[in-house]
Amino acid sequence: MSKLWGGRFTKETNKLVEEQTASISFDQKLANEDIQGSIAHVNMLATTGIITEDEGATITKGLKAVQNKLANGELTFSVEHEDIHMNIEKFLIDEIGPVGGKLHTGRSRNDQVATDMHLYLKNHTEDIIELVKGTQKAILNQASEHIDTILPGYTHLQRAQPISFSHHILTYFWMLQRDKERLQDSLKRVSGSPLGAGALAGTTFPLDRKQVADELGFDYVYPNSIDAVSDRDFILEFMSAASIMMMHISRLAEEMVIWSSQEFQFIELDDSFCTGSSIMPQKKNPDVPELLRAKTGRVYGNLMGLLTVLKGLPLAYNKDMQEDKEGMFDTVETLEGSLMMLAPMIDTMMVKVDNMKQAVSEDYSNATDIADYLVTKGMPFRQSHEVIGKIVLYGIDNNKYLLDLTMEEYKSFSELFEDDIYRVLAPEEVVANRRSYGGTSQSQVKEQLKLAKGLM
Ligand code: ARG
């Protein structure tokens, strides 16, 4: 089989080299983008008169025929043709004869592959933004249901202060909001058209790069042909945004694992998102959140991999850059798959309101509130902190929570205590009193929910 670039060579490529250097096993994922880019290129070649209108129409028809055959599984890619670009060109020439050879006029695989990557990532970034919105909606559903559900809030995984469950889960809404904004912002840069840059220096043909960019839905044309073929920042940006998002997903997944444990019993994941054990009949394992947590690793790995591939490359295109693809596909697929599972898992998870309520009644997480109470009665905060520390110690020694102590016991620590202390210490009251902007009080959470819903 003769190579499309075989003219300069007198020997066949070593078989092993052919297999190891070919990218067709993975870049076939770009088939549709490659054909789309070629159709835009050929249309432009025809309108600018670089090829005739008839030739343009024949090539476009041929490309669509190839696309159909590929969709129907009628064509087989070959390693001899190395990558998706040359495989498709070969199919085209088989389809329409030598005129197919005019497609590559004024183009190089260097600007072609960059164009394919931009198109692929633009489409998938838009899809991922929609998936993020779906996950945010699932969070909003749970948050709307649980404004009055109170659970212990933690710092250092030690009970800290009672909070509204709605407030807690909304934290993830805001993380995803920033993730979404990062992706939206990256679209500005993924929307540049490299096509027409040629191998690196531009071409001798009077191309209309703007026409191609418009047809492909790109917002601008790379102003520097060398930059056009050597830039992979848009992939790094996507991978960075994806890494941060996976870190967020992993934190939520971790909470789901902890909360669904026997020790916490704060939530129960739907059966459809759990699996059993082959030996222990009682087990219901939170496999999905565990895997989400773990998949973060490959997304970080892909980012580090590509940063490392690019760091020492001289301008312009280098074969090293072929290594940008598998990590990008894997990141896209991992993120899409993760978000697709996450949204329904949040939606279907059962929040165990009574267990959360029980938990806040069995701890000292209202201690800050007595400290604040003494402050409102005139004691400096430092001094009241010290007094309450002693009260907590007394409670621990005597097996009593703060609501169980008698007025006499309170008075023995400070004369400032009065009957109203019991109202201040009730968990609902503790939450309701945190009315500062962005705080956990039911009234603030309602404002926050309104703000969040307004962003959807
Ligand atoms: N398969 C190559 C890649 O993915 C396409 C570009 C090849 N260009 C070249 N001059 N060898 O990067």
Side-chain angles (χ1 to χ4, degrees):
M1 218 184 273
S2 65
K3 301 257 188 237
L4 291 175
W5 43 253
R8 140 107 188 56
F9 288 75
T10 55
K11 269 192 179 176
E12 293 284 304
T13 315
N14 175 304
K15 276 288 152 210
L16 191 63
V17 169
E18 195 169 76
E19 274 164 29
Q20 295 291 321
T21 58
S23 52
I24 188 61
S25 64
F26 48 87
D27 67 9
Q28 51 184 272
K29 291 206 163 110
L30 296 171
N32 278 318
E33 287 78 6
D34 198 72
I35 292 172
Q36 194 192 347
S38 287
I39 292 175
H41 181 66
V42 87
N43 284 340
M44 179 276 292
L45 291 179
T47 51
T48 51
I50 298 170
I51 59 172
T52 68
E53 290 286 343
D54 272 359
E55 288 166 337
T58 309
I59 297 172
T60 303
K61 215 170 138 218
L63 283 167
K64 289 188 176 154
V66 171
Q67 192 167 33
N68 270 331
K69 286 188 175 173
L70 276 175
N72 296 331
E74 290 167 35
L75 300 172
T76 314
F77 295 115
S78 77
V79 147
E80 287 81 357
H81 294 303
E82 207 176 306
D83 57 25
I84 188 63
H85 324 296
M86 291 196 295
N87 268 272
I88 289 194
E89 193 176 330
K90 180 69 173 55
F91 293 142
L92 175 70
I93 292 169
D94 289 348
E95 188 75 30
I96 61 170
V99 64
K102 295 205 171 191
L103 168 64
H104 212 52
T105 311
R107 187 176 75 170
S108 153
R109 279 185 293 156
N110 298 350
D111 55 347
Q112 190 179 356
V113 71
T115 304
D116 292 3
M117 300 286 277
H118 277 271
L119 281 174
Y120 177 93
L121 208 49
K122 185 172 178 293
N123 290 335
H124 283 276
T125 301
E126 285 163 357
D127 292 348
I128 290 169
I129 288 172
E130 289 309 307
L131 288 171
V132 173
K133 285 186 194 162
T135 310
Q136 286 182 297
K137 283 193 188 130
I139 292 173
L140 288 178
N141 289 344
Q142 287 286 5
S144 311
E145 290 278 298
H146 291 288
I147 298 172
D148 294 317
T149 301
I150 294 171
L151 79 162
Y154 295 79
T155 63
H156 312 266
L157 202 58
Q158 305 286 326
R159 296 211 183 153
Q161 290 171 347
I163 52 171
S164 148
F165 182 67
S166 173
H167 194 49
H168 188 103
I169 196 85
L170 278 171
T171 312
Y172 292 101
F173 173 93
W174 297 110
M175 294 183 200
L176 289 172
Q177 180 64 19
R178 292 191 291 275
D179 293 329
K180 191 174 70 185
E181 286 170 7
R182 264 184 283 276
L183 288 177
Q184 280 160 342
D185 192 68
S186 78
L187 280 175
K188 285 187 217 151
R189 286 163 295 278
V190 91
S191 294
S193 178
L195 210 56
L200 78 162
T203 87
T204 57
F205 296 98
L207 304 180
D208 184 346
R209 293 187 62 198
K210 175 86 172 53
Q211 181 191 325
V212 175
D214 288 345
E215 182 170 338
L216 293 176
F218 287 129
D219 295 337
Y220 69 99
V221 168
Y222 272 80
N224 179 316
S225 62
I226 301 176
D227 192 33
V229 294
S230 38
D231 175 32
R232 294 292 183 272
D233 294 0
F234 62 103
I235 306 177
L236 290 173
E237 258 191 85
F238 169 73
M239 289 177 160
S240 310
S243 294
I244 298 175
M245 194 185 315
M246 280 309 289
M247 176 272 287
H248 292 152
I249 292 174
S250 184
R251 290 183 77 170
L252 175 54
E254 167 68 3
E255 297 218 280
M256 288 177 148
V257 171
I258 295 179
W259 286 344
S260 60
S261 70
Q262 190 78 37
E263 284 66 21
F264 272 76
Q265 297 188 56
F266 280 0
I267 60 165
E268 182 167 346
L269 295 174
D270 196 71
D271 274 6
S272 54
F273 288 89
C274 296
T275 61
S277 155
S278 59
I279 174 166
M280 297 165 284
Q282 84 284 9
K283 291 293 289 290
K284 175 169 163 184
N285 296 329
D287 292 35
V288 175
E290 289 174 290
L291 273 176
L292 293 180
R293 194 171 59 183
K295 282 186 186 296
T296 309
R298 62 200 295 155
V299 172
Y300 291 1
N302 292 335
L303 170 63
M304 285 318 295
L306 185 58
L307 280 168
T308 312
V309 164
L310 295 171
K311 69 175 266 294
L313 294 187
L315 296 176
Y317 178 83
N318 301 269
K319 185 75 167 177
D320 311 50
M321 291 160 86
Q322 180 168 290
E323 286 288 309
D324 60 359
K325 289 177 194 57
E326 286 157 291
M328 178 185 76
F329 295 140
D330 185 66
T331 302
V332 164
E333 286 159 19
T334 303
L335 202 56
E336 289 180 349
S338 299
L339 289 165
M340 277 191 259
M341 287 198 287
L342 185 58
M345 186 165 61
I346 294 171
D347 248 331
T348 56
M349 109 189 150
M350 208 233 303
V351 178
K352 297 189 165 175
V353 177
D354 291 341
N355 291 354
M356 290 182 175
K357 194 175 173 174
Q358 173 84 7
V360 268
S361 69
E362 289 172 354
D363 65 19
Y364 295 93
S365 63
N366 43 4
T368 315
D369 295 78
I370 342 184
D372 291 351
Y373 171 90
L374 288 182
V375 170
T376 60
K377 303 269 168 177
M379 189 183 282
F381 182 77
R382 243 338 116 216
Q383 196 184 329
S384 82
H385 186 285
E386 172 78 16
V387 171
I388 310 309
K390 294 216 166 83
I391 296 180
V392 169
L393 195 61
Y394 174 86
I396 294 170
D397 287 345
N398 293 278
N399 262 325
K400 284 182 166 188
Y401 293 113
L402 298 175
L403 272 170
D404 305 332
L405 298 180
T406 63
M407 190 36 58
E408 230 178 6
E409 285 171 309
Y410 272 118
K411 289 267 189 210
S412 71
F413 289 97
S414 166
E415 277 303 321
L416 293 174
F417 283 116
E418 285 171 71
D419 268 349
D420 56 350
I421 183 66
Y422 296 107
R423 196 173 42 76
V424 170
L425 287 181
E428 296 73 27
E429 216 30 48
V430 169
V431 172
N433 279 331
R434 292 208 157 53
R435 277 186 216 92
S436 57
Y437 179 81
T440 194
S441 73
Q442 293 84 341
S443 56
Q444 278 299 321
V445 170
K446 280 181 193 152
E447 289 302 311
Q448 190 189 155
L449 258 172
K450 217 187 290 165
L451 189 65
K453 285 181 178 161
L455 290 168
M456 295 302 295

